[in-house]
Amino acid sequence: MVCFDEGAARFQMRAAGIALRDGYLLVHRASVEDFWTLPGGRVERGESAGETLAREMVEELGQQVTVGPLVSIVENFFELSGRRYHELGLYHRMDVPDVFPFSVDGSICHRVRDGDSDLEFKWVRAERRELDDLRFKPSALIDHIAAGTGALLHVVEREVEPLPLLQVPA
C-alpha cells in the first residue's frame, strides 16, 4: 500500500468514490467510528486510483462499479485513534449497479467484515445538513458533493497543526 509510518504519524494515499443515486450519496464507516466517509481504500503500489476504487468496491460491496472521472483531490490532515495522518485522497465519480441495495430511510443497506472491524454502508441525502449531521469527512467535500459539480476541486483540510519538519543532519 502507498502508506508509511514515521513515528506516530502516517502518510497514506486513498482512492474513494462519489456514488449518487436519485439525490442520495453512498457513505460508509467502520462500525466503531462516529463519522462517515466515502467508500474506498488505500492505493496499492503500482495501482492507479481508479483501479484501487474498482478493486475496493469488489471487496467491500461485492459489485463491479463503473469508475468515472477524478473530481476531487483532498490533502487531509487529521488525528484518529491517537495517530496523526496526512492523507492524499483522490475522489472519483462512481456508478454502483442497480442491483446494489438502495433505501432512502437512512438504514444500513450493506455490511461487510474488513480486517478487525465491520464496514457499514447506507444512502443519505447529498445535502449539507444531512452530511454535517453524520460528521462526514473530509468535510471540505460536502459543498462540492451537494452542488453536484463536475469541476475538479483541490482542497487542503487541516484538522490538526502540522508536524515540525524533519531535521536532516548536514
Side-chain angles (χ1 to χ4, degrees), residues 83-149:
R83 174 173 271 176
R84 294 185 68 163
Y85 285 80
H86 175 181
E87 179 179 88
L88 178 61
L90 304 170
Y91 298 89
H92 287 260
R93 289 272 183 232
M94 175 175 77
D95 290 323
V96 177
D98 289 341
V99 297
F100 184 75
F102 177 72
S103 63
V104 298
D105 64 2
S107 62
I108 302 300
C109 67
H110 180 70
R111 191 175 269 114
V112 66
R113 189 79 177 157
D114 184 41
D116 294 337
S117 63
D118 290 324
L119 295 179
E120 302 173 330
F121 295 79
K122 69 179 181 176
W123 294 91
V124 299
R125 285 201 177 279
E127 298 172 354
R128 168 165 273 294
R129 185 170 162 218
E130 184 142 357
L131 294 171
D132 277 340
D133 289 347
L134 288 176
R135 295 196 59 232
F136 178 85
K137 295 187 183 273
S139 61
L141 283 180
I142 292 175
D143 288 332
H144 191 63
I145 291 168
T149 179

Short mmCIF file of all heavy atoms in Angstrom, two decimals, residues 83-149:
data_model
loop_
_atom_site.label_atom_id
_atom_site.label_comp_id
_atom_site.label_asym_id
_atom_site.label_seq_id
_atom_site.Cartn_x
_atom_site.Cartn_y
_atom_site.Cartn_z
N ARG A 83 -3.23 8.69 16.40
CA ARG A 83 -2.24 8.77 15.32
C ARG A 83 -2.56 9.96 14.44
O ARG A 83 -3.73 10.21 14.12
CB ARG A 83 -2.25 7.49 14.50
CG ARG A 83 -1.35 7.56 13.28
CD ARG A 83 -1.23 6.26 12.60
NE ARG A 83 -0.11 5.58 13.23
CZ ARG A 83 0.27 4.36 12.96
NH1 ARG A 83 -0.40 3.64 12.11
NH2 ARG A 83 1.30 3.82 13.56
N ARG A 84 -1.53 10.69 14.04
CA ARG A 84 -1.71 11.83 13.12
C ARG A 84 -1.54 11.35 11.69
O ARG A 84 -0.60 10.62 11.38
CB ARG A 84 -0.71 12.91 13.45
CG ARG A 84 -1.03 13.48 14.85
CD ARG A 84 -0.17 14.61 15.19
NE ARG A 84 -0.52 15.72 14.32
CZ ARG A 84 -0.18 16.97 14.59
NH1 ARG A 84 0.50 17.25 15.67
NH2 ARG A 84 -0.49 17.94 13.77
N TYR A 85 -2.48 11.75 10.85
CA TYR A 85 -2.49 11.32 9.46
C TYR A 85 -2.28 12.49 8.51
O TYR A 85 -2.74 13.60 8.76
CB TYR A 85 -3.86 10.70 9.10
CG TYR A 85 -4.06 9.32 9.64
CD1 TYR A 85 -4.43 9.12 10.97
CD2 TYR A 85 -3.88 8.21 8.84
CE1 TYR A 85 -4.63 7.85 11.48
CE2 TYR A 85 -4.08 6.93 9.34
CZ TYR A 85 -4.45 6.76 10.66
OH TYR A 85 -4.64 5.50 11.15
N HIS A 86 -1.59 12.20 7.44
CA HIS A 86 -1.51 13.06 6.26
C HIS A 86 -1.99 12.16 5.13
O HIS A 86 -1.32 11.20 4.77
CB HIS A 86 -0.08 13.53 6.02
CG HIS A 86 0.09 14.32 4.76
ND1 HIS A 86 1.33 14.80 4.38
CD2 HIS A 86 -0.77 14.72 3.79
CE1 HIS A 86 1.22 15.45 3.24
NE2 HIS A 86 -0.06 15.41 2.86
N GLU A 87 -3.19 12.44 4.63
CA GLU A 87 -3.81 11.58 3.63
C GLU A 87 -4.00 12.35 2.34
O GLU A 87 -4.53 13.46 2.35
CB GLU A 87 -5.16 11.09 4.15
CG GLU A 87 -5.91 10.21 3.17
CD GLU A 87 -7.22 9.74 3.77
OE1 GLU A 87 -8.23 10.46 3.62
OE2 GLU A 87 -7.22 8.67 4.40
N LEU A 88 -3.58 11.75 1.25
CA LEU A 88 -3.86 12.28 -0.07
C LEU A 88 -5.03 11.48 -0.61
O LEU A 88 -4.90 10.27 -0.86
CB LEU A 88 -2.64 12.15 -0.99
CG LEU A 88 -2.84 12.63 -2.42
CD1 LEU A 88 -3.18 14.11 -2.44
CD2 LEU A 88 -1.58 12.35 -3.25
N GLY A 89 -6.19 12.12 -0.72
CA GLY A 89 -7.41 11.45 -1.17
C GLY A 89 -7.76 11.82 -2.60
O GLY A 89 -7.82 13.01 -2.93
N LEU A 90 -7.97 10.82 -3.43
CA LEU A 90 -8.36 11.01 -4.83
C LEU A 90 -9.78 10.48 -4.99
O LEU A 90 -10.03 9.29 -4.78
CB LEU A 90 -7.39 10.26 -5.75
CG LEU A 90 -5.92 10.66 -5.57
CD1 LEU A 90 -5.02 9.71 -6.34
CD2 LEU A 90 -5.69 12.09 -5.99
N TYR A 91 -10.70 11.37 -5.31
CA TYR A 91 -12.13 11.05 -5.33
C TYR A 91 -12.67 11.07 -6.75
O TYR A 91 -12.61 12.08 -7.44
CB TYR A 91 -12.90 12.04 -4.45
CG TYR A 91 -12.46 11.96 -3.01
CD1 TYR A 91 -11.41 12.73 -2.53
CD2 TYR A 91 -13.07 11.08 -2.13
CE1 TYR A 91 -10.98 12.63 -1.20
CE2 TYR A 91 -12.66 10.97 -0.81
CZ TYR A 91 -11.62 11.75 -0.36
OH TYR A 91 -11.20 11.64 0.94
N HIS A 92 -13.22 9.92 -7.16
CA HIS A 92 -13.79 9.74 -8.50
C HIS A 92 -15.30 9.66 -8.42
O HIS A 92 -15.86 9.19 -7.44
CB HIS A 92 -13.30 8.42 -9.11
CG HIS A 92 -11.88 8.42 -9.53
ND1 HIS A 92 -11.49 8.60 -10.83
CD2 HIS A 92 -10.74 8.25 -8.82
CE1 HIS A 92 -10.18 8.53 -10.92
NE2 HIS A 92 -9.69 8.32 -9.71
N ARG A 93 -15.96 10.09 -9.48
CA ARG A 93 -17.37 9.73 -9.64
C ARG A 93 -17.42 8.22 -9.78
O ARG A 93 -16.50 7.60 -10.32
CB ARG A 93 -17.96 10.37 -10.89
CG ARG A 93 -18.16 11.84 -10.79
CD ARG A 93 -19.51 12.16 -10.20
NE ARG A 93 -19.68 13.61 -10.18
CZ ARG A 93 -20.03 14.28 -9.11
NH1 ARG A 93 -20.24 13.66 -7.97
NH2 ARG A 93 -20.17 15.56 -9.14
N MET A 94 -18.51 7.63 -9.31
CA MET A 94 -18.62 6.18 -9.34
C MET A 94 -20.09 5.80 -9.52
O MET A 94 -20.96 6.36 -8.85
CB MET A 94 -18.07 5.62 -8.02
CG MET A 94 -18.21 4.13 -7.84
SD MET A 94 -17.42 3.55 -6.32
CE MET A 94 -18.60 4.04 -5.07
N ASP A 95 -20.35 4.86 -10.40
CA ASP A 95 -21.70 4.33 -10.58
C ASP A 95 -21.75 2.93 -9.99
O ASP A 95 -20.93 2.07 -10.33
CB ASP A 95 -22.09 4.27 -12.07
CG ASP A 95 -22.30 5.66 -12.65
OD1 ASP A 95 -22.83 6.54 -11.93
OD2 ASP A 95 -21.94 5.87 -13.82
N VAL A 96 -22.71 2.71 -9.10
CA VAL A 96 -22.92 1.42 -8.46
C VAL A 96 -24.08 0.75 -9.19
O VAL A 96 -25.10 1.38 -9.46
CB VAL A 96 -23.25 1.62 -6.96
CG1 VAL A 96 -23.55 0.30 -6.29
CG2 VAL A 96 -22.09 2.33 -6.25
N PRO A 97 -23.95 -0.54 -9.52
CA PRO A 97 -25.04 -1.21 -10.24
C PRO A 97 -26.38 -1.13 -9.50
O PRO A 97 -26.43 -1.11 -8.27
CB PRO A 97 -24.57 -2.67 -10.32
CG PRO A 97 -23.11 -2.63 -10.08
CD PRO A 97 -22.84 -1.43 -9.21
N ASP A 98 -27.46 -1.10 -10.27
CA ASP A 98 -28.80 -1.02 -9.69
C ASP A 98 -29.13 -2.19 -8.78
O ASP A 98 -30.01 -2.07 -7.93
CB ASP A 98 -29.86 -0.93 -10.80
CG ASP A 98 -29.82 0.42 -11.51
OD1 ASP A 98 -29.27 1.39 -10.94
OD2 ASP A 98 -30.33 0.50 -12.64
N VAL A 99 -28.44 -3.32 -8.92
CA VAL A 99 -28.72 -4.47 -8.06
C VAL A 99 -28.22 -4.25 -6.63
O VAL A 99 -28.64 -4.96 -5.71
CB VAL A 99 -28.11 -5.79 -8.61
CG1 VAL A 99 -28.74 -6.14 -9.95
CG2 VAL A 99 -26.61 -5.69 -8.73
N PHE A 100 -27.33 -3.27 -6.43
CA PHE A 100 -26.86 -2.99 -5.07
C PHE A 100 -28.01 -2.36 -4.29
O PHE A 100 -28.71 -1.49 -4.80
CB PHE A 100 -25.65 -2.04 -5.09
CG PHE A 100 -25.08 -1.79 -3.74
CD1 PHE A 100 -24.32 -2.75 -3.09
CD2 PHE A 100 -25.31 -0.59 -3.09
CE1 PHE A 100 -23.80 -2.53 -1.83
CE2 PHE A 100 -24.80 -0.35 -1.82
CZ PHE A 100 -24.05 -1.33 -1.18
N PRO A 101 -28.24 -2.80 -3.04
CA PRO A 101 -29.39 -2.30 -2.26
C PRO A 101 -29.42 -0.77 -2.16
O PRO A 101 -28.39 -0.13 -1.99
CB PRO A 101 -29.17 -2.92 -0.88
CG PRO A 101 -28.28 -4.08 -1.09
CD PRO A 101 -27.43 -3.75 -2.27
N PHE A 102 -30.64 -0.25 -2.27
CA PHE A 102 -30.86 1.21 -2.19
C PHE A 102 -32.07 1.45 -1.31
O PHE A 102 -33.13 0.88 -1.53
CB PHE A 102 -31.09 1.78 -3.59
CG PHE A 102 -31.39 3.25 -3.60
CD1 PHE A 102 -30.40 4.17 -3.33
CD2 PHE A 102 -32.66 3.71 -3.90
CE1 PHE A 102 -30.66 5.53 -3.36
CE2 PHE A 102 -32.94 5.07 -3.93
CZ PHE A 102 -31.93 5.98 -3.66
N SER A 103 -31.88 2.28 -0.28
CA SER A 103 -33.02 2.67 0.57
C SER A 103 -32.83 4.12 0.95
O SER A 103 -31.72 4.60 1.09
CB SER A 103 -33.12 1.78 1.82
OG SER A 103 -31.96 1.96 2.62
N VAL A 104 -33.95 4.81 1.11
CA VAL A 104 -33.91 6.24 1.41
C VAL A 104 -34.25 6.53 2.87
O VAL A 104 -34.40 7.69 3.25
CB VAL A 104 -34.83 7.04 0.46
CG1 VAL A 104 -34.36 6.90 -0.98
CG2 VAL A 104 -36.28 6.61 0.61
N ASP A 105 -34.36 5.49 3.69
CA ASP A 105 -34.75 5.71 5.09
C ASP A 105 -33.55 5.87 6.03
O ASP A 105 -33.72 5.95 7.25
CB ASP A 105 -35.67 4.59 5.58
CG ASP A 105 -34.99 3.22 5.60
OD1 ASP A 105 -33.78 3.13 5.29
OD2 ASP A 105 -35.67 2.24 5.94
N GLY A 106 -32.33 5.89 5.46
CA GLY A 106 -31.15 6.08 6.30
C GLY A 106 -30.66 4.83 7.00
O GLY A 106 -29.74 4.90 7.82
N SER A 107 -31.24 3.69 6.69
CA SER A 107 -30.83 2.44 7.35
C SER A 107 -29.59 1.87 6.66
O SER A 107 -29.30 2.18 5.51
CB SER A 107 -31.97 1.42 7.33
OG SER A 107 -32.29 1.08 6.00
N ILE A 108 -28.90 1.00 7.37
CA ILE A 108 -27.73 0.33 6.81
C ILE A 108 -28.22 -0.60 5.71
O ILE A 108 -29.09 -1.45 5.92
CB ILE A 108 -26.99 -0.48 7.90
CG1 ILE A 108 -26.56 0.42 9.06
CG2 ILE A 108 -25.80 -1.24 7.30
CD1 ILE A 108 -25.63 1.56 8.70
N CYS A 109 -27.66 -0.46 4.50
CA CYS A 109 -28.10 -1.28 3.37
C CYS A 109 -27.12 -2.41 3.07
O CYS A 109 -27.46 -3.34 2.33
CB CYS A 109 -28.32 -0.42 2.13
SG CYS A 109 -26.81 0.30 1.45
N HIS A 110 -25.92 -2.31 3.64
CA HIS A 110 -24.91 -3.34 3.37
C HIS A 110 -23.89 -3.32 4.50
O HIS A 110 -23.56 -2.26 5.04
CB HIS A 110 -24.22 -3.03 2.03
CG HIS A 110 -23.16 -4.00 1.62
ND1 HIS A 110 -23.44 -5.28 1.22
CD2 HIS A 110 -21.81 -3.87 1.55
CE1 HIS A 110 -22.30 -5.90 0.91
NE2 HIS A 110 -21.30 -5.06 1.12
N ARG A 111 -23.40 -4.50 4.83
CA ARG A 111 -22.38 -4.63 5.89
C ARG A 111 -21.39 -5.70 5.45
O ARG A 111 -21.78 -6.71 4.88
CB ARG A 111 -23.07 -5.03 7.20
CG ARG A 111 -22.19 -4.96 8.41
CD ARG A 111 -22.98 -5.26 9.70
NE ARG A 111 -23.51 -4.02 10.27
CZ ARG A 111 -24.79 -3.70 10.37
NH1 ARG A 111 -25.71 -4.52 9.96
NH2 ARG A 111 -25.16 -2.58 10.92
N VAL A 112 -20.10 -5.46 5.72
CA VAL A 112 -19.08 -6.42 5.35
C VAL A 112 -17.95 -6.37 6.38
O VAL A 112 -17.68 -5.31 6.96
CB VAL A 112 -18.54 -6.14 3.92
CG1 VAL A 112 -17.80 -4.81 3.85
CG2 VAL A 112 -17.65 -7.26 3.43
N ARG A 113 -17.33 -7.51 6.63
CA ARG A 113 -16.19 -7.58 7.55
C ARG A 113 -14.95 -7.12 6.79
O ARG A 113 -14.69 -7.55 5.67
CB ARG A 113 -16.01 -9.02 8.05
CG ARG A 113 -14.99 -9.15 9.14
CD ARG A 113 -15.61 -8.72 10.44
NE ARG A 113 -14.66 -8.90 11.53
CZ ARG A 113 -14.74 -8.25 12.65
NH1 ARG A 113 -15.73 -7.41 12.86
NH2 ARG A 113 -13.86 -8.45 13.60
N ASP A 114 -14.17 -6.22 7.39
CA ASP A 114 -12.94 -5.70 6.79
C ASP A 114 -11.86 -5.69 7.85
O ASP A 114 -11.83 -4.78 8.70
CB ASP A 114 -13.18 -4.29 6.24
CG ASP A 114 -11.97 -3.75 5.51
OD1 ASP A 114 -11.32 -4.51 4.77
OD2 ASP A 114 -11.67 -2.55 5.67
N GLY A 115 -11.01 -6.68 7.85
CA GLY A 115 -9.96 -6.77 8.86
C GLY A 115 -10.56 -7.01 10.23
O GLY A 115 -11.28 -7.97 10.45
N ASP A 116 -10.30 -6.07 11.15
CA ASP A 116 -10.77 -6.21 12.53
C ASP A 116 -12.12 -5.55 12.79
O ASP A 116 -12.57 -5.51 13.93
CB ASP A 116 -9.73 -5.61 13.49
CG ASP A 116 -8.43 -6.38 13.48
OD1 ASP A 116 -8.44 -7.56 13.10
OD2 ASP A 116 -7.39 -5.79 13.85
N SER A 117 -12.73 -4.98 11.78
CA SER A 117 -13.99 -4.27 12.02
C SER A 117 -15.01 -4.56 10.92
O SER A 117 -14.69 -5.13 9.89
CB SER A 117 -13.74 -2.76 12.12
OG SER A 117 -13.24 -2.26 10.90
N ASP A 118 -16.23 -4.13 11.18
CA ASP A 118 -17.30 -4.23 10.19
C ASP A 118 -17.44 -2.88 9.51
O ASP A 118 -17.39 -1.83 10.17
CB ASP A 118 -18.63 -4.58 10.86
CG ASP A 118 -18.65 -6.00 11.38
OD1 ASP A 118 -18.06 -6.88 10.72
OD2 ASP A 118 -19.25 -6.24 12.44
N LEU A 119 -17.64 -2.89 8.20
CA LEU A 119 -17.95 -1.68 7.46
C LEU A 119 -19.46 -1.65 7.23
O LEU A 119 -20.05 -2.66 6.85
CB LEU A 119 -17.23 -1.64 6.12
CG LEU A 119 -15.71 -1.56 6.16
CD1 LEU A 119 -15.16 -1.55 4.74
CD2 LEU A 119 -15.25 -0.33 6.92
N GLU A 120 -20.06 -0.48 7.47
CA GLU A 120 -21.49 -0.28 7.25
C GLU A 120 -21.68 0.73 6.13
O GLU A 120 -20.95 1.73 6.07
CB GLU A 120 -22.14 0.28 8.52
CG GLU A 120 -21.97 -0.58 9.73
CD GLU A 120 -22.49 0.08 10.99
OE1 GLU A 120 -22.45 1.32 11.11
OE2 GLU A 120 -22.93 -0.68 11.88
N PHE A 121 -22.64 0.47 5.28
CA PHE A 121 -22.93 1.35 4.14
C PHE A 121 -24.39 1.79 4.22
O PHE A 121 -25.26 1.00 4.60
CB PHE A 121 -22.70 0.61 2.82
CG PHE A 121 -21.27 0.23 2.58
CD1 PHE A 121 -20.72 -0.88 3.21
CD2 PHE A 121 -20.48 0.98 1.74
CE1 PHE A 121 -19.40 -1.25 2.99
CE2 PHE A 121 -19.16 0.63 1.51
CZ PHE A 121 -18.62 -0.49 2.14
N LYS A 122 -24.63 3.03 3.82
CA LYS A 122 -26.00 3.50 3.71
C LYS A 122 -26.06 4.65 2.72
O LYS A 122 -25.05 5.26 2.38
CB LYS A 122 -26.57 3.91 5.07
CG LYS A 122 -25.98 5.16 5.69
CD LYS A 122 -26.68 5.43 7.03
CE LYS A 122 -26.17 6.67 7.71
NZ LYS A 122 -26.94 6.95 8.93
N TRP A 123 -27.27 4.93 2.26
CA TRP A 123 -27.54 6.04 1.35
C TRP A 123 -28.10 7.20 2.17
O TRP A 123 -29.01 7.00 2.97
CB TRP A 123 -28.54 5.63 0.27
CG TRP A 123 -28.02 4.59 -0.66
CD1 TRP A 123 -28.14 3.23 -0.51
CD2 TRP A 123 -27.29 4.79 -1.86
NE1 TRP A 123 -27.54 2.59 -1.57
CE2 TRP A 123 -27.00 3.52 -2.41
CE3 TRP A 123 -26.84 5.93 -2.54
CZ2 TRP A 123 -26.30 3.35 -3.61
CZ3 TRP A 123 -26.15 5.76 -3.73
CH2 TRP A 123 -25.88 4.50 -4.25
N VAL A 124 -27.57 8.40 1.96
CA VAL A 124 -28.05 9.59 2.65
C VAL A 124 -28.26 10.70 1.63
O VAL A 124 -27.64 10.70 0.57
CB VAL A 124 -27.06 10.04 3.75
CG1 VAL A 124 -26.90 8.97 4.81
CG2 VAL A 124 -25.72 10.44 3.17
N ARG A 125 -29.13 11.63 1.98
CA ARG A 125 -29.34 12.77 1.08
C ARG A 125 -28.03 13.51 0.88
O ARG A 125 -27.30 13.75 1.84
CB ARG A 125 -30.37 13.73 1.65
CG ARG A 125 -31.77 13.23 1.53
CD ARG A 125 -32.74 14.42 1.63
NE ARG A 125 -34.08 13.95 1.44
CZ ARG A 125 -34.64 13.70 0.26
NH1 ARG A 125 -33.96 13.89 -0.83
NH2 ARG A 125 -35.88 13.26 0.17
N ALA A 126 -27.73 13.84 -0.35
CA ALA A 126 -26.49 14.56 -0.67
C ALA A 126 -26.69 16.05 -0.42
O ALA A 126 -26.62 16.88 -1.33
CB ALA A 126 -26.10 14.30 -2.12
N GLU A 127 -26.96 16.38 0.84
CA GLU A 127 -27.23 17.76 1.25
C GLU A 127 -26.35 18.12 2.43
O GLU A 127 -26.06 17.27 3.28
CB GLU A 127 -28.70 17.92 1.64
CG GLU A 127 -29.65 17.64 0.51
CD GLU A 127 -31.11 17.62 0.95
OE1 GLU A 127 -31.38 17.71 2.17
OE2 GLU A 127 -31.98 17.47 0.08
N ARG A 128 -25.97 19.38 2.49
CA ARG A 128 -25.06 19.84 3.55
C ARG A 128 -25.55 19.46 4.95
O ARG A 128 -24.81 18.93 5.74
CB ARG A 128 -24.86 21.36 3.47
CG ARG A 128 -24.17 21.91 4.73
CD ARG A 128 -23.62 23.28 4.60
NE ARG A 128 -22.29 23.31 4.06
CZ ARG A 128 -21.20 22.82 4.67
NH1 ARG A 128 -21.31 22.20 5.81
NH2 ARG A 128 -20.02 22.93 4.12
N ARG A 129 -26.79 19.74 5.26
CA ARG A 129 -27.30 19.50 6.61
C ARG A 129 -27.18 18.03 7.01
O ARG A 129 -26.73 17.70 8.10
CB ARG A 129 -28.73 19.98 6.72
CG ARG A 129 -29.28 19.87 8.11
CD ARG A 129 -30.62 20.58 8.22
NE ARG A 129 -31.28 20.10 9.40
CZ ARG A 129 -32.56 19.89 9.49
NH1 ARG A 129 -33.35 20.14 8.47
NH2 ARG A 129 -33.09 19.46 10.60
N GLU A 130 -27.59 17.16 6.11
CA GLU A 130 -27.54 15.74 6.43
C GLU A 130 -26.09 15.25 6.57
O GLU A 130 -25.77 14.49 7.48
CB GLU A 130 -28.26 14.91 5.37
CG GLU A 130 -28.29 13.45 5.73
CD GLU A 130 -29.59 12.76 5.37
OE1 GLU A 130 -30.52 13.41 4.87
OE2 GLU A 130 -29.65 11.55 5.60
N LEU A 131 -25.20 15.69 5.70
CA LEU A 131 -23.80 15.28 5.79
C LEU A 131 -23.13 15.86 7.03
O LEU A 131 -22.33 15.18 7.68
CB LEU A 131 -23.06 15.66 4.51
CG LEU A 131 -23.53 14.91 3.25
CD1 LEU A 131 -22.91 15.49 2.00
CD2 LEU A 131 -23.28 13.42 3.36
N ASP A 132 -23.46 17.09 7.38
CA ASP A 132 -22.95 17.66 8.63
C ASP A 132 -23.40 16.83 9.83
O ASP A 132 -22.61 16.55 10.74
CB ASP A 132 -23.43 19.10 8.82
CG ASP A 132 -22.59 20.11 8.07
OD1 ASP A 132 -21.43 19.80 7.71
OD2 ASP A 132 -23.09 21.23 7.85
N ASP A 133 -24.67 16.44 9.85
CA ASP A 133 -25.21 15.66 10.97
C ASP A 133 -24.50 14.31 11.11
O ASP A 133 -24.42 13.76 12.20
CB ASP A 133 -26.71 15.43 10.81
CG ASP A 133 -27.53 16.69 11.03
OD1 ASP A 133 -26.98 17.69 11.56
OD2 ASP A 133 -28.73 16.69 10.67
N LEU A 134 -24.00 13.77 10.01
CA LEU A 134 -23.31 12.49 10.03
C LEU A 134 -21.84 12.61 10.46
O LEU A 134 -21.17 11.61 10.58
CB LEU A 134 -23.31 11.85 8.64
CG LEU A 134 -24.61 11.29 8.12
CD1 LEU A 134 -24.42 10.80 6.69
CD2 LEU A 134 -25.12 10.18 9.00
N ARG A 135 -21.37 13.85 10.62
CA ARG A 135 -19.94 14.10 10.84
C ARG A 135 -19.15 13.55 9.65
O ARG A 135 -18.15 12.88 9.80
CB ARG A 135 -19.45 13.49 12.15
CG ARG A 135 -20.10 14.13 13.38
CD ARG A 135 -19.38 13.82 14.67
NE ARG A 135 -17.99 14.28 14.62
CZ ARG A 135 -16.95 13.49 14.90
NH1 ARG A 135 -17.11 12.24 15.25
NH2 ARG A 135 -15.72 13.97 14.83
N PHE A 136 -19.62 13.83 8.45
CA PHE A 136 -18.99 13.38 7.22
C PHE A 136 -17.59 13.96 7.09
O PHE A 136 -17.37 15.14 7.36
CB PHE A 136 -19.85 13.79 6.02
CG PHE A 136 -19.27 13.41 4.70
CD1 PHE A 136 -19.48 12.14 4.19
CD2 PHE A 136 -18.50 14.30 3.98
CE1 PHE A 136 -18.94 11.77 2.96
CE2 PHE A 136 -17.95 13.95 2.76
CZ PHE A 136 -18.17 12.68 2.25
N LYS A 137 -16.65 13.11 6.67
CA LYS A 137 -15.27 13.54 6.47
C LYS A 137 -14.76 13.05 5.12
O LYS A 137 -15.13 11.97 4.70
CB LYS A 137 -14.39 12.97 7.59
CG LYS A 137 -14.77 13.54 8.94
CD LYS A 137 -13.79 13.12 10.00
CE LYS A 137 -14.22 13.62 11.35
NZ LYS A 137 -13.78 14.93 11.65
N PRO A 138 -13.92 13.82 4.44
CA PRO A 138 -13.49 15.15 4.81
C PRO A 138 -14.60 16.17 4.53
O PRO A 138 -15.21 16.17 3.47
CB PRO A 138 -12.27 15.40 3.93
CG PRO A 138 -12.43 14.49 2.76
CD PRO A 138 -13.23 13.32 3.24
N SER A 139 -14.83 17.01 5.52
CA SER A 139 -15.94 17.97 5.44
C SER A 139 -15.78 18.96 4.28
O SER A 139 -16.76 19.51 3.80
CB SER A 139 -16.09 18.73 6.75
OG SER A 139 -14.91 19.45 7.05
N ALA A 140 -14.55 19.14 3.80
CA ALA A 140 -14.32 20.06 2.68
C ALA A 140 -15.03 19.60 1.41
O ALA A 140 -15.25 20.40 0.50
CB ALA A 140 -12.82 20.19 2.42
N LEU A 141 -15.43 18.35 1.33
CA LEU A 141 -16.12 17.84 0.14
C LEU A 141 -17.63 18.06 0.17
O LEU A 141 -18.29 17.91 -0.86
CB LEU A 141 -15.87 16.33 0.00
CG LEU A 141 -14.51 15.91 -0.54
CD1 LEU A 141 -14.43 14.39 -0.61
CD2 LEU A 141 -14.24 16.52 -1.89
N ILE A 142 -18.18 18.42 1.31
CA ILE A 142 -19.64 18.47 1.45
C ILE A 142 -20.28 19.40 0.41
O ILE A 142 -21.20 19.00 -0.31
CB ILE A 142 -20.05 18.87 2.88
CG1 ILE A 142 -19.69 17.73 3.84
CG2 ILE A 142 -21.54 19.20 2.95
CD1 ILE A 142 -19.94 18.05 5.31
N ASP A 143 -19.83 20.63 0.32
CA ASP A 143 -20.46 21.57 -0.62
C ASP A 143 -20.25 21.13 -2.06
O ASP A 143 -21.14 21.29 -2.90
CB ASP A 143 -19.92 22.98 -0.40
CG ASP A 143 -20.44 23.60 0.89
OD1 ASP A 143 -21.55 23.23 1.33
OD2 ASP A 143 -19.73 24.45 1.46
N HIS A 144 -19.10 20.56 -2.36
CA HIS A 144 -18.81 20.09 -3.72
C HIS A 144 -19.78 18.97 -4.11
O HIS A 144 -20.33 18.96 -5.21
CB HIS A 144 -17.36 19.61 -3.78
CG HIS A 144 -16.85 19.35 -5.15
ND1 HIS A 144 -16.74 20.33 -6.12
CD2 HIS A 144 -16.40 18.21 -5.73
CE1 HIS A 144 -16.24 19.80 -7.22
NE2 HIS A 144 -16.03 18.52 -7.02
N ILE A 145 -20.01 18.05 -3.19
CA ILE A 145 -20.93 16.93 -3.45
C ILE A 145 -22.36 17.45 -3.54
O ILE A 145 -23.10 17.10 -4.46
CB ILE A 145 -20.81 15.86 -2.35
CG1 ILE A 145 -19.45 15.14 -2.46
CG2 ILE A 145 -21.95 14.86 -2.44
CD1 ILE A 145 -19.11 14.27 -1.28
N ALA A 146 -22.76 18.30 -2.60
CA ALA A 146 -24.13 18.81 -2.57
C ALA A 146 -24.45 19.62 -3.83
O ALA A 146 -25.57 19.58 -4.33
CB ALA A 146 -24.36 19.65 -1.32
N ALA A 147 -23.46 20.33 -4.35
CA ALA A 147 -23.68 21.15 -5.55
C ALA A 147 -23.72 20.30 -6.81
O ALA A 147 -24.22 20.75 -7.84
CB ALA A 147 -22.57 22.20 -5.67
N GLY A 148 -23.20 19.07 -6.72
CA GLY A 148 -23.22 18.18 -7.87
C GLY A 148 -22.32 18.64 -9.00
O GLY A 148 -22.51 18.27 -10.14
N THR A 149 -21.34 19.45 -8.69
CA THR A 149 -20.47 19.99 -9.73
C THR A 149 -19.55 18.90 -10.26
O THR A 149 -19.13 18.01 -9.54
CB THR A 149 -19.65 21.18 -9.19
OG1 THR A 149 -18.81 21.65 -10.25
CG2 THR A 149 -18.78 20.80 -8.03
#
